[in-house]
Amino acid sequence: MPKFIFVTGGVVSSVGKGITTASIGRILKSRGIRVSIQKLDPYLNVDPGTMSPYQHGEVFVTADGAETDLDLGHYERFLDQDLPASSSVTSGQIYLAVLERERRGDYLGGTIQAVPHLTNEIKSRIYGAAEAAGAEVLICEVGGTVGDIEGQTFIEAIRQIRHEEPRENCLSVHVTFLPWVGATRELKTKPTQHSVRELRSMGIQPDVIVARSDHPVPLDIRDKIALHCDVEPRAVIPLETAQSIYEVPLLLEERGLGDYILERLGLRGTRDLDAWREMVERLRNPHGSVDIAIVGKYVELHDAYLSVKEALVHAGIHHGVAINIHWVHAEWLERRAAGELLAGMHGIVVPGGFGERGWEGKIEAARYARETGTPYLGLCLGMQVMVTEFARNVCGMKGANSTEFAPDTPYPVISLLEEQQGITNLGGTMRLGAYPCRLVPGTRAHAAYGCDLVYERHRHRWEFNNAFRPQLEAAGLVVSGTSPDGSLVEVTELANHPFMVGTQFHPELQSRPNRAHPLFRALVQAAIERQLAPLAGAVPARG
Ligand code: GLN
């Protein structure tokens, strides 16, 4: 029978509830316990796929093709484990399922209510996820903070599960924040007390309180929280802001959270975070650094490219170098010279994207990378950028473009499959989730992966247009990966360039701190070499 850990948040959001949840997962997994994690998001969107990155940051895509909250990315990276679509539940999905059943007449004339109909649906998703994962422990994180109107049915469902299950099968962890009052130089516990009261008013007494703070938490503060919130002092776990998110499992384990959870849930397993600690040590003690630019359109919002940023960090850990990420707005490149904005960069990443804003700036970044021999990795849209730039500036296809941005371009080097096949109905849905890709021996991509067949995750509509393949290849663009039947171009690269690779998929989604993704490793390797020999691979200026 699976056991459950429910993680709720109080006081304010964005204090690291997702990282705490992921870290608990890592702690348990390191102790040899089979664990899975599920996110319960209170918003009414069916999934975050349609949400702007301004709302919730990056959309994370699971191997089975679900568009999910970015916390799923943290879970996968900390667990080093793929999670299924059932790990991501939203209120929208719950309402949709219940209402579809109502329309079908499945409720036989009954009145449909939040309790029990929504709560039953939620409970079946929670039990279902635990069962599908074969987990000994399922950790469920509820998005938002307690007291949010949308979150109430989730809290109620959790209350019911705690009631239905044997006591030693459920544990409730509440993550709060201790504000620092500068005038009196002290941390305040009152907001934590209030949020625990709110949680209790909904029938849940927390077993553990993780108290986030930007300052050291003295013992008397911990005891005060324990007293007022009715938890054991050893179950109040202070968590000061760490330098890196990957330190959090170590901090929590050090403070006894692992031991406490195992004791309360009646589980067995010895601590073994040695490999994780070693990884964190490498991260903390780099022997150099490289400068990498991420050219995107949400540079003021780093969460929009969270997995890309993390994948770079992982590659840095692998090579023992720190990665200085420079956020370069693609639109700046439309007004100022690329040489000015990207000078000194040892590598350039153009990540995925939708919409025209910044497209021409990204093309400029690709041109700069190609002409100066600067290592380049293009992810999804970033590959489309690379192909378009190459068509325009190397193959002389003036006005080459993606039909996403210029439907009437004379050279639609990136287009919809339907267009390629002469079908005019554009109602194609996105290609989502993991698909196989066959790599071509002798290419940089093949060398990086060191194997012939890989599975990578997708989230896109547009594709490389095969009609232009012969012409582009003749000019030096190498197709280094395709779908196994050869019909879809998955990876492109340049032969006479130190490292210029584009992927139609999103390799960043599969990178892990202890297993950096091969292509990000290769990019950072090329960046290190670039730092040692800045001019290698530069194309001589024309004319
Ligand atoms: N907008 C492009 C497409 O749909 C790229 C998508 C992406 O980068 N995820 O093909």
Side-chain angles (χ1 to χ4, degrees):
M1 217 163 38
K3 299 180 187 262
F4 300 94
I5 297 175
F6 299 109
V7 183
T8 53
V11 183
V12 283
S13 58
S14 309
V15 292
K17 178 156 50 78
I19 300 292
T20 304
T21 305
S23 298
I24 293 173
R26 168 41 58 188
I27 287 175
L28 296 182
K29 187 165 177 181
S30 293
R31 286 173 179 252
I33 295 163
R34 274 196 317 282
V35 9
S36 189
I37 311 186
Q38 182 179 48
K39 178 87 191 271
L40 306 172
D41 266 313
Y43 48 72
L44 292 175
N45 304 60
V46 172
D47 61 46
T50 53
M51 278 192 226
S52 147
Y54 285 114
Q55 301 282 317
H56 279 270
E58 149 188 294
V59 175
F60 189 81
V61 182
T62 58
D64 57 2
E67 297 177 276
T68 71
D69 186 81
L70 53 73
D71 275 329
L72 271 275
H74 288 311
Y75 303 163
E76 288 203 353
R77 289 186 282 270
F78 278 68
L79 287 180
D80 189 13
Q81 180 176 310
D82 286 2
L83 293 173
S86 59
S87 276
S88 171
V89 175
T90 67
S91 289
Q93 287 169 22
I94 301 296
Y95 277 85
L96 191 66
V98 169
L99 292 177
E100 274 171 358
R101 228 172 279 141
E102 187 274 336
R103 290 289 86 181
R104 278 203 308 268
D106 290 5
Y107 293 110
L108 303 170
T111 306
I112 314 306
Q113 295 179 294
V115 182
H117 299 97
L118 295 180
T119 47
N120 281 351
E121 180 64 25
I122 294 168
K123 286 194 291 179
S124 83
R125 303 277 178 124
I126 295 174
Y127 286 122
E131 197 181 328
E136 287 170 82
V137 176
L138 178 73
I139 308 171
C140 285
E141 177 191 347
V142 183
T145 46
V146 291
D148 295 350
I149 292 178
E150 292 95 337
Q152 283 181 7
T153 41
F154 285 125
I155 303 283
E156 168 59 14
I158 287 170
R159 187 197 65 74
Q160 293 178 20
I161 291 179
R162 281 167 59 90
H163 193 71
E164 289 163 14
E165 292 290 308
R167 256 195 84 76
E168 70 281 5
N169 274 12
C170 294
L171 193 84
S172 161
V173 176
H174 193 52
V175 181
T176 73
F177 182 71
L178 307 177
W180 169 258
V181 177
T184 51
R185 306 190 55 76
E186 58 177 347
L187 288 168
K188 304 303 273 181
T189 66
K190 192 69 84 189
T192 295
Q193 297 177 39
H194 279 297
S195 88
V196 168
R197 186 176 307 161
E198 180 90 38
L199 189 59
R200 282 159 135 188
S201 77
M202 291 185 279
I204 296 179
Q205 164 64 45
D207 302 293
V208 173
I209 293 177
V210 174
R212 285 278 297 107
S213 160
D214 290 331
H215 297 263
V217 182
L219 221 55
D220 62 314
I221 292 283
R222 192 194 73 177
D223 292 344
K224 191 169 172 187
I225 295 171
L227 182 65
H228 283 272
C229 301
D230 197 18
V231 299
E232 292 182 65
R234 64 186 179 121
V236 177
I237 312 285
L239 181 58
E240 292 92 5
T241 304
Q243 250 179 29
S244 151
I245 53 175
Y246 298 115
E247 290 177 28
V248 175
L250 302 176
L251 290 171
L252 293 176
E253 186 69 283
E254 228 167 72
R255 284 161 192 191
L257 184 59
D259 290 337
Y260 190 77
I261 290 175
L262 264 66
E263 181 187 320
R264 289 294 302 266
L265 291 179
L267 293 165
R268 257 193 255 264
T270 38
R271 298 179 179 203
D272 183 12
L273 281 171
D274 289 353
W276 194 267
R277 182 168 295 111
E278 223 166 89
M279 180 271 287
V280 171
E281 286 306 317
R282 287 178 71 81
L283 173 64
R284 273 200 204 135
N285 303 302
H287 52 67
S289 67
V290 289
D291 294 287
I292 307 243
I294 296 183
V295 179
K297 65 172 181 176
Y298 299 105
V299 292
E300 64 291 353
L301 186 83
H302 301 177
D303 272 2
Y305 305 113
L306 185 63
S307 293
V308 176
K309 190 182 97 190
E310 292 306 320
L312 285 170
V313 171
H314 304 162
I317 295 173
H318 176 86
H319 290 292
V321 297
I323 311 286
N324 301 326
I325 296 180
H326 299 253
W327 300 91
V328 176
H329 202 302
E331 279 179 313
W332 300 340
L333 286 156
E334 292 167 11
R335 294 189 289 270
R336 283 168 61 192
E340 207 180 300
L341 289 163
L342 297 171
M345 291 299 126
H346 307 121
I348 296 170
V349 175
V350 177
F354 295 82
E356 199 178 1
R357 193 162 66 89
W359 165 251
E360 291 299 329
K362 291 172 189 174
I363 300 234
E364 267 307 290
R367 186 188 57 76
Y368 174 85
R370 183 178 54 76
E371 291 181 351
T372 59
T374 307
Y376 174 100
L377 182 59
L379 311 167
C380 204
L381 187 80
M383 175 197 117
Q384 301 175 356
V385 163
M386 169 182 164
V387 170
T388 306
E389 190 279 325
F390 189 85
R392 284 185 193 175
N393 300 328
V394 178
C395 299
M397 300 181 191
K398 203 163 169 284
N401 219 323
S402 162
T403 59
E404 181 176 3
F405 312 118
D408 301 324
T409 167
Y411 303 101
V413 287
I414 305 294
S415 64
L416 293 170
L417 272 187
E418 291 90 336
E419 294 169 342
Q420 295 179 27
Q421 292 158 357
I423 304 167
T424 47
N425 177 9
L426 302 187
T429 45
M430 268 205 268
R431 192 156 165 246
L432 285 168
Y435 287 88
C437 166
R438 203 183 51 212
L439 299 165
V440 180
T443 61
R444 282 192 179 69
H446 189 277
Y449 281 102
C451 62
D452 297 333
L453 190 76
V454 293
Y455 283 80
E456 292 282 4
R457 301 184 193 173
H458 295 66
R459 180 173 184 249
H460 67 109
R461 286 196 182 83
W462 274 264
E463 303 273 359
F464 181 105
N465 188 345
N466 286 312
F468 295 94
R469 188 167 159 180
Q471 227 178 315
L472 292 165
E473 282 180 325
L477 188 82
V478 176
V479 171
S480 45
T482 63
S483 53
D485 66 358
S487 68
L488 299 172
V489 170
E490 294 277 17
V491 192
T492 58
E493 61 188 52
L494 296 190
N496 58 351
H497 187 285
F499 186 88
M500 188 150 185
V501 175
T503 61
Q504 189 54 79
F505 46 76
H506 289 275
E508 71 273 19
L509 300 176
Q510 296 204 90
S511 187
R512 307 274 163 85
N514 51 342
R515 260 178 335 118
H517 190 282
L519 292 177
F520 280 85
R521 270 180 357 219
L523 172 77
V524 171
Q525 176 64 41
I528 293 169
E529 283 159 20
R530 170 85 179 165
Q531 192 176 38
L532 297 173
L535 289 176
V539 177
R542 261 168 281 177

